[in-house]
Amino acid sequence: MKRKGSLYAAVCSLDNLELADQRARIGKSKQKGVLIHDQNRAANLLSLQEQLANKTYKTSRYDVFIIRDPKEREIYRLPYFPDRIAHHAIMNVLKPILLPVFTADSYSCIEGKGTHSASRALQTALKDKAGTVYGLKLDIRKFYPSIDHAILKQLLRRKVKDADLLWLIDEIIDSAPGLPIGNYLSQYLANFYLTYFDHWLKEEKKVKYYFRYADDIVVLGPDKPYLHQVLGEIRLYLETELKLEIKGNYQVFPVVARSLDFVGYRHYHTHKLLRKRIKQRWARNRNPKAEPSYKGLAKHCDAIHLTKKLNHEQIQRAEHKSRNNSFQGREDKNCQSTQQRDHRS
């Protein structure tokens, strides 16, 4: 496997830093960090170039906070300058090296291969009813925090030999425990951490129907014994090779009875539906700004009746609100007329 060298100069180039700045600000141009950076943009980029060239760059202090939707997670946030620009500068050079390593069965953080691609591939596999009678669904316990730095660095050295670039990536890796959720680099490095596991499962174990989105894993098979065997081999590989642990809530079950809940959809052999939690959230939150997002999800599954029902409920609520406003307007007008008559008396 050919490793890539002489990459650090490309990371440090001013053209690459300017491109990184352009990409890092997409969708964030009004954020405080971007606005502050823009007050001295040219000087900042030259300063970052100098820090990288002299290898004096050091990851800034993280702002750590917790979110609880859909599950509790610890989020790490870095300043826009210099860190988020530096991460994009690295990925501009590193991404073309990492992408060819990913298998066709991995869908996270790969351009053109997101949740909808993963869902379509799974739905296509389910057309083979005899080969997909049962499903194995699992994920990894505290995946991002559990990623071992030494193993990740070793895996990166299979593809990258540029010592200076490896120094920079190592500095960022060692800046927090595991891989911090919220870092731009983390999602790519986390996906890369499992890519040789993907190859092992597909090429050595010859697993036909396998799908992975981040650490959410689905395997399909003709019977329970086969999937329990695969589960045991997966557990052994993850524990011995990557120091990862499967969550205790893994499931082996008949697809026809349960469906496969994966990337926001419930997949059956003949159709797919929106995940129950998404349907409930959509029904509760009828914010016009969120509506296109939910309708976009519904467009990719069998949700005609759900969409009609929610649209009908929305119309009813609007009509009810209109009647209430009209009634309140008449009440206010009557009250005002009464007050005027009392005043004249």
Side-chain angles (χ1 to χ4, degrees):
M1 186 177 292
K2 189 175 180 180
R3 294 186 299 162
K4 299 291 183 178
S6 305
L7 302 170
Y8 196 62
V11 172
C12 299
S13 75
L14 192 57
D15 286 344
N16 184 52
L17 294 180
E18 289 176 344
L19 176 61
D21 187 14
Q22 292 170 18
R23 290 178 172 174
R25 70 176 57 230
I26 293 175
K28 303 177 178 68
S29 59
K30 304 267 170 122
Q31 288 186 359
K32 182 178 179 181
V34 180
L35 297 175
I36 292 173
H37 164 66
D38 282 347
Q39 293 174 9
N40 205 20
R41 181 175 181 269
N44 282 344
L45 294 180
L46 286 172
S47 172
L48 178 55
Q49 183 185 40
E50 184 178 355
Q51 291 175 48
L52 294 173
N54 296 334
K55 296 173 72 172
T56 57
Y57 171 83
K58 186 172 178 60
T59 300
S60 303
R61 183 175 180 177
Y62 286 96
D63 174 24
V64 183
F65 58 96
I66 293 175
I67 62 170
R68 292 181 170 83
D69 185 24
K71 61 182 179 180
E72 184 171 303
R73 291 182 297 173
E74 197 170 49
I75 305 298
Y76 288 69
R77 182 166 56 198
L78 285 170
Y80 179 80
F81 172 81
D83 303 277
R84 280 155 59 185
I85 298 174
H87 287 203
H88 276 266
I90 294 168
M91 283 311 304
N92 287 345
V93 174
L94 194 60
K95 192 184 294 185
I97 298 169
L98 297 187
L99 286 180
V101 188
F102 298 142
T103 71
D105 312 286
S106 173
Y107 294 89
S108 176
C109 310
I110 301 173
E111 291 177 10
K113 288 182 65 180
T115 57
H116 296 308
S117 295
S119 176
R120 284 194 297 269
L122 177 55
Q123 201 66 39
T124 299
L126 286 168
K127 292 179 181 179
D128 176 12
K129 292 186 179 181
T132 61
V133 178
Y134 285 85
L136 163 63
K137 191 170 186 303
L138 63 92
D139 57 357
I140 295 168
R141 183 178 178 275
K142 296 188 179 300
F143 176 47
Y144 276 73
S146 298
I147 288 175
D148 184 275
H149 288 186
I151 294 174
L152 175 58
K153 292 175 185 179
Q154 184 181 29
L155 293 175
L156 283 167
R157 280 156 175 78
R158 292 188 185 185
K159 293 299 297 176
V160 179
K161 65 180 180 180
D162 187 302
D164 291 329
L165 178 55
L166 288 169
W167 162 81
L168 178 58
I169 298 172
D170 288 353
E171 198 285 330
I172 295 170
I173 290 172
D174 291 333
S175 66
L179 283 178
I181 299 173
N183 264 8
Y184 178 64
L185 268 179
S186 291
Q187 54 186 330
Y188 291 96
L189 294 179
N191 203 19
F192 178 73
Y193 194 72
L194 289 175
T195 195
Y196 293 104
F197 161 74
D198 297 336
H199 283 281
W200 167 80
L201 202 58
K202 293 292 293 185
E203 296 157 15
E204 291 190 34
K205 305 313 295 182
K206 306 297 182 184
V207 173
K208 185 176 183 181
Y209 296 126
Y210 165 68
F211 310 89
R212 179 174 69 80
Y213 191 90
D215 66 320
D216 197 359
I217 293 171
V218 167
V219 182
L220 303 173
D223 53 57
K224 274 189 175 183
Y226 167 73
L227 289 180
H228 278 292
Q229 178 186 342
V230 171
L231 173 63
E233 292 173 333
I234 287 175
R235 178 183 282 113
L236 182 62
Y237 184 101
L238 292 177
E239 289 177 353
T240 57
E241 299 294 326
L242 299 175
K243 296 185 180 179
L244 297 174
E245 180 183 343
I246 294 174
K247 272 187 187 176
N249 63 350
Y250 65 85
Q251 302 170 354
V252 177
F253 53 91
V255 174
V256 69
R258 296 270 302 279
S259 80
L260 275 160
D261 190 333
F262 185 58
V263 294
Y265 298 98
R266 292 161 53 210
H267 299 80
Y268 296 84
H269 285 107
T270 56
H271 63 287
K272 66 178 176 180
L273 305 174
L274 268 180
R275 178 180 287 163
K276 184 177 179 180
R277 187 170 65 241
I278 294 176
K279 289 195 295 184
Q280 292 172 337
R281 193 180 300 149
W282 187 5
R284 289 194 300 264
N285 178 24
R286 303 313 305 272
N287 186 329
K289 291 183 179 179
E291 199 72 10
S293 177
Y294 287 117
K295 287 184 177 179
L297 288 170
K299 184 175 66 175
H300 293 274
C301 68
D302 301 279
I304 294 175
H305 296 300
L306 172 65
T307 304
K308 284 182 178 179
K309 180 181 177 182
L310 292 176
N311 286 341
H312 179 65
E313 290 176 355
Q314 188 174 28
I315 291 170
Q316 285 184 319
R317 280 197 294 267
E319 289 176 347
H320 179 70
K321 183 178 180 180
S322 177
R323 286 195 299 268
N324 283 346
N325 289 341
S326 177
F327 176 77
Q328 185 63 47
R330 290 196 302 271
E331 286 291 299
D332 291 344
K333 187 175 181 180
N334 291 338
C335 181
Q336 186 178 13
S337 298
T338 302
Q339 289 175 348
Q340 289 174 350
R341 286 198 302 271
D342 290 344
H343 180 72
R344 287 196 297 268
S345 300

